[in-house]
């Protein structure tokens, strides 16, 4: 049953840690003097967010949300189901959404609107990976670790059927 073929190492843990340092410092500069809420999207963003937040030197809190898209037919309408909502009042605060990957952009497009409706002062996106070829809505992430080509990526939080999240590097699924 578990006979997927995994590719070679595409992005190493060292590269990801260096990127977390670089982007964390940039966020620290960009939000100087502000109070921020970093919101991780479960479950894929957990590893990246843990690395990133260690390099953010600001007055900040963290929270998590879990979301899922409705079936393929309705995906383009941008309807996203919230499985775990925020516990934090984000009114008047700067929010940084932390995601594993931006593919179609549907999920983040929805979340941007959701945070704005909850009164966030501003909303930015920080994604470990960006797959621009998958885009179906006009969405640009503010902070991107690495751009990847149109393959099914696994590892470092990203899953296939909930597996491979624990791989300490980014690779792709060759076949299954
Ligand atoms: P989007 O709404 O199409 O941008 O999808 C975002 C979500 O789909 C991400 O948070 C991932 O959970 C998942 N996803 C998209 N592409 C991949 C991939 O290549 N590997 C694993 N998960 C993916
Ligand atoms: Mg996922």
């Amino acid at each position: 049953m578990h006979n997927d073929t995994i590719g070679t190492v595409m992005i190493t843990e060292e590269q990801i840690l260096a990127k977390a340092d670089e982007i964390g410092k940039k966020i620290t500069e960009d939000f100087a003097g502000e109070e921020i809420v970093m919101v991780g999207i479960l479950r894929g963003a957990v590893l990246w967010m843990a690395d990133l937040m260690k390099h953010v030197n600001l007055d900040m809190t963290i929270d998590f949300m879990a979301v899922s898209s409705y079936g393929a037919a309705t995906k383009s309408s941008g309807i996203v189901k919230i499985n775990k909502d925020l516990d934090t009042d984000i009114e008047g605060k700067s929010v940084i959404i932390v995601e594993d990957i931006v593919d179609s952009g549907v999920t983040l497009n929805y979340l941007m609107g959701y945070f704005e409706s909850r009164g966030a002062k501003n909303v930015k996106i920080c994604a470990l990976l960006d797959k621009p070829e998958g885009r179906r809505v006009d969405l640009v992430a503010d902070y991107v670790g690495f751009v990847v080509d149109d393959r099914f990526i696994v590892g470092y939080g990203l899953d296939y059927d909930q597996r491979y999240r624990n791989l300490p590097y980014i690779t792709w699924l060759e076949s299954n």
Side-chain angles (χ1 to χ4, degrees), residues 42-44 67 99-101 157-159 162 165:
L42 295 171
R43 294 180 272 249
V67 297
E99 246 294 32
D100 53 0
I101 186 167
L158 290 95
D159 72 302
Q162 299 304 330
R165 295 192 195 273

Side-chain angles (χ1 to χ4, degrees), residues 5-103:
T5 306
I6 294 300
T8 53
V9 177
M10 186 189 258
I11 304 167
T12 66
E13 183 172 25
E14 289 68 28
Q15 287 175 289
I16 295 168
L17 294 174
K19 193 61 81 173
D21 184 338
E22 180 191 319
I23 295 178
K25 283 179 176 142
K26 194 157 193 304
I27 288 172
T28 303
E29 287 170 19
D30 292 353
F31 290 86
E34 288 186 54
E35 187 183 339
I36 68 165
V37 184
M38 201 176 259
V39 179
I41 309 305
L42 295 171
R43 294 180 272 249
V46 166
L47 278 73
W48 170 234
M49 181 158 150
D51 294 336
L52 179 71
M53 64 192 280
K54 287 178 271 185
H55 299 285
V56 177
N57 184 18
L58 294 170
D59 179 7
M60 63 168 283
T61 61
I62 64 166
D63 202 346
F64 293 94
M65 282 183 79
V67 297
S68 53
S69 302
Y70 282 117
T74 55
K75 227 182 158 190
S76 56
S77 64
I79 299 168
V80 173
K81 180 169 172 254
I82 296 176
N83 298 319
K84 184 226 169 287
D85 204 345
L86 289 172
D87 295 318
T88 309
D89 179 8
I90 59 166
E91 176 136 28
K93 292 179 187 160
S94 295
V95 174
I96 300 176
I97 308 174
V98 182
E99 246 294 32
D100 53 0
I101 186 167
V102 191
D103 184 12

Side-chain angles (χ1 to χ4, degrees), residues 41-45 67 69 75 80 99-109 129 131 134-137 139 148-155 157-160 165 171:
I41 309 305
L42 295 171
R43 294 180 272 249
V67 297
S69 302
K75 227 182 158 190
V80 173
E99 246 294 32
D100 53 0
I101 186 167
V102 191
D103 184 12
S104 73
V106 167
T107 308
L108 283 165
N109 195 49
L129 303 175
K131 201 196 284 183
R135 207 68 97 250
R136 291 209 268 148
V137 296
L139 183 119
V148 292
D149 56 19
D150 199 9
R151 304 186 200 191
F152 196 83
I153 307 295
V154 293
L158 290 95
D159 72 302
Y160 171 65
R165 295 192 195 273
T171 183

Side-chain angles (χ1 to χ4, degrees), residues 102-144:
V102 191
D103 184 12
S104 73
V106 167
T107 308
L108 283 165
N109 195 49
Y110 172 83
L111 287 173
M112 297 273 299
Y114 179 72
F115 290 128
E116 277 155 17
S117 77
R118 298 271 302 246
K121 186 170 125 195
N122 65 68
V123 185
K124 302 282 185 202
I125 294 167
C126 176
L128 172 59
L129 303 175
D130 186 3
K131 201 196 284 183
E133 287 167 66
R135 207 68 97 250
R136 291 209 268 148
V137 296
D138 187 18
L139 183 119
V140 180
D142 302 279
Y143 306 95
V144 170

